[in-house]
Amino acid sequence: MPGEFNFCQRCGEGLEERQIEGMLRPQCPACHFVVFLDPKVAAVAIVVDGDGLVMVKRGVEPQYGKWAFPSGYVDRGEVVEAAAVREVKEETGLDVGLDRLVGVYSLEGSPVVLVVYSAHITGGEVEVGHDALAVQTFSLNDLPPMPFPHDEQILKDWLACSGGN
């Protein structure tokens, strides 16, 4: 946390770390403003294409060069479902409709909260986005190694709630 927020956004005074509500938080000694560090929400789509899943080869860190579900951060004020649809379009060129919420995933100590949806293709053409290296559909029996901590659980939950469809 040190260096992340150094000055009060209200009065400009230097912030100090103080124990507030059971956690160390940046607080302004002058105006007493407390900086609450909000989580970062990411929308994830499991895109079904026939008997397979559409994956993107990541062109950004973390996990550069690894195959993953289309995903990205939700913009402030954006509806999470709209972010999932937007991220699929940006990364794959495909238009999708969302079928159902698969789940919400988080890890202690991580600022990222994943909101995962099952989706189906409604149009568009495969086009690799600016933050992807490739787009490919993998059969369920031949998925590449999954790069993120929640991926295996996400797949299990998706299979349980959709029967793989």
Side-chain angles (χ1 to χ4, degrees), residues 28-43:
C28 178
C31 73
H32 305 290
F33 175 75
V34 177
V35 177
F36 289 92
L37 302 175
D38 298 329
K40 194 71 175 146
V41 178

Side-chain angles (χ1 to χ4, degrees), residues 52-165:
L53 301 180
V54 177
M55 308 284 283
V56 295
K57 192 170 195 178
R58 294 181 56 81
V60 295
E61 291 294 349
Q63 301 296 339
Y64 180 90
K66 302 286 176 85
W67 291 99
F69 302 122
S71 63
Y73 291 122
V74 178
D75 292 326
R76 183 177 290 215
E78 184 178 26
V79 173
V80 178
E81 294 87 348
V85 171
R86 173 183 55 77
E87 285 293 340
V88 172
K89 181 69 170 180
E90 288 177 1
E91 293 183 357
T92 70
L94 298 171
D95 299 313
V96 296
L98 301 182
D99 299 316
R100 68 188 58 78
L101 175 68
V102 173
V104 178
Y105 304 84
S106 61
L107 289 172
E108 187 170 340
S110 172
V112 180
V113 176
L114 303 175
V115 182
V116 182
Y117 296 93
S118 179
H120 63 276
I121 298 170
T122 60
E125 294 193 25
V126 173
E127 183 178 320
V128 178
H130 73 280
D131 58 353
L133 302 173
V135 177
Q136 184 174 328
T137 298
F138 292 89
S139 81
L140 287 175
N141 299 326
D142 194 28
L143 293 175
M146 305 302 289
F148 294 108
H150 291 297
D151 288 340
E152 294 301 326
Q153 186 62 52
I154 288 169
L155 272 173
K156 286 178 188 174
D157 293 346
W158 174 74
L159 286 166
C161 77
S162 67
N165 299 333

